[in-house]
Amino acid sequence: MMTAPDYRHHMLCPVCGVTTTIADTRVYVTCRERAVAENIAEQLAQIFARRHGKDLNEEELLMLRQRFAAWERQSGWS
């Protein structure tokens, strides 16, 4: 799980050192603040650990994005 700014096209994995093209990766949530993104990444890592590494399906991903959008509106970020 990595966070990446919009202007980056490649990211270096801090764990294995592999360079990944961002365009080829799955985006879970897009947000403005790095601290928020890191918090979301930590929460997703916990979810994946409980699910034994199983990824979110499309319905779950949509629900995650909707909840994040609602949180953004509620907290005044949008």
Side-chain angles (χ1 to χ4, degrees), residues 19-42:
T19 300
T20 304
T21 304
I22 292 175
D24 297 337
T25 61
R26 187 168 194 188
V27 175
Y28 289 92
V29 175
T30 302
C31 58
R32 295 183 196 109
E33 300 238 350
R34 183 176 180 91
V36 173
E38 289 172 350
N39 183 281
I40 291 168
E42 288 173 15

Side-chain angles (χ1 to χ4, degrees), residues 9-69:
H9 299 286
H10 296 86
M11 289 294 294
L12 181 66
C13 176
V15 177
C16 67
V18 170
T19 300
T20 304
T21 304
I22 292 175
D24 297 337
T25 61
R26 187 168 194 188
V27 175
Y28 289 92
V29 175
T30 302
C31 58
R32 295 183 196 109
E33 300 238 350
R34 183 176 180 91
V36 173
E38 289 172 350
N39 183 281
I40 291 168
E42 288 173 15
Q43 290 181 45
L44 283 171
Q46 292 172 6
I47 290 168
F48 294 149
R50 285 194 305 268
R51 295 168 61 120
H52 306 288
K54 184 179 174 197
D55 201 355
L56 302 177
N57 63 35
E58 292 304 316
E59 184 179 317
E60 292 167 323
L61 183 57
L62 179 61
M63 186 171 31
L64 172 73
R65 289 176 179 160
Q66 289 172 340
R67 286 182 180 176
F68 180 70

